[in-house]
Amino acid sequence: MKKFLLGLIVLSSTLAVSEGFTRSEQIQISKQFATFQKAIKSKDIQTISNMIEYPLSNDIGSDDINEDDFKDKDSVIENKTEIIKSLKELTLPKVNSETNKITKYSKKGNAKTCDFEVNTKFTDSNDSNFFDNYGITPDKNFVVTASYFADSGADVDGCASYNTYFFKYEDKKLKLYKEIALP
């Protein structure tokens, strides 16, 4: 009976791990994310538009962008300046090309400015609490969240906002498929 229970524990922990991205997939995602960052920095709208799943599902609280700007590849190319501006914070996490590790970006605020942080996360179906917050079915995703907050005691309006970007990795291609921006 003990061997049977131990076998179930090992099997269930193996299944939980296998639901997420493999190390090889994480490396490929990191490389492709670095390509996406480079395209944003160099304003290469062709590469950016090829790395978006259309129509991009978004809940954007920005006056600069509306949902129609992301309905298809032509609309992204047509609204190049606004699109690049809206994705700029995705360029802040650093991808180490030798280790393919992604380092978060953070900037400490002061009494007049918000703290700012950009984190990345590889998610899977075990992250149901995380996905419940966004109304998304738990699945394998690469997620980037840019957060503004007042941890340093700042009394600044607008310090409680964030943008979250959801990427899928299917057929060995990384694609941005959802953006949520909350004021």
Side-chain angles (χ1 to χ4, degrees), residues 161-178:
S161 66
Y162 64 90
N163 298 327
T164 304
Y165 305 88
F166 294 87
F167 291 84
K168 288 182 181 179
Y169 184 70
E170 292 177 345
D171 300 323
K172 299 185 179 186
K173 292 182 182 178
L174 184 66
K175 296 253 186 185
L176 175 64
Y177 77 94
K178 185 167 187 70

Side-chain angles (χ1 to χ4, degrees), residues 12-155:
S12 67
S13 66
T14 302
L15 291 174
V17 171
S18 67
E19 289 178 12
F21 290 108
T22 66
R23 180 68 185 134
S24 175
E25 288 173 324
Q26 289 181 11
I27 289 169
Q28 287 305 310
I29 289 168
S30 298
K31 286 180 181 180
Q32 290 183 37
F33 182 64
T35 299
F36 192 67
Q37 289 179 309
K38 183 178 177 185
I40 294 168
K41 288 177 187 176
S42 65
K43 300 178 182 179
D44 177 358
I45 198 64
Q46 289 297 326
T47 299
I48 293 167
S49 65
N50 288 332
M51 296 184 78
I52 296 175
E53 181 178 284
Y54 299 102
L56 178 70
S57 173
N58 58 27
D59 300 314
I60 301 176
S62 168
D63 294 334
D64 298 333
I65 296 289
N66 66 53
E67 195 165 311
D68 289 338
D69 293 342
F70 287 100
K71 69 181 175 185
D72 57 30
K73 189 173 184 174
D74 290 337
S75 61
V76 166
I77 292 169
E78 193 175 299
N79 295 294
K80 172 184 175 176
T81 303
E82 293 83 11
I83 300 300
I84 291 170
K85 182 180 173 185
S86 75
L87 300 174
K88 194 128 181 113
E89 59 199 6
L90 290 173
T91 65
L92 298 173
K94 299 295 179 215
V95 180
N96 182 320
S97 60
E98 292 178 21
T99 63
N100 293 303
K101 298 270 185 197
I102 303 172
T103 306
K104 80 175 184 178
Y105 172 87
S106 62
K107 182 178 178 184
K108 194 77 170 151
N110 57 39
K112 296 182 181 183
T113 62
C114 303
D115 292 340
F116 179 64
E117 191 170 272
V118 183
N119 290 304
T120 61
K121 177 178 179 147
F122 292 96
T123 65
D124 61 32
S125 60
N126 292 323
D127 292 309
S128 60
N129 288 339
F130 174 78
F131 287 110
D132 287 347
N133 291 332
Y134 295 101
I136 297 175
T137 304
D139 201 0
K140 291 184 351 179
N141 287 271
F142 173 66
V143 181
V144 181
T145 302
S147 306
Y148 295 87
F149 54 97
D151 193 32
S152 59
D155 186 22

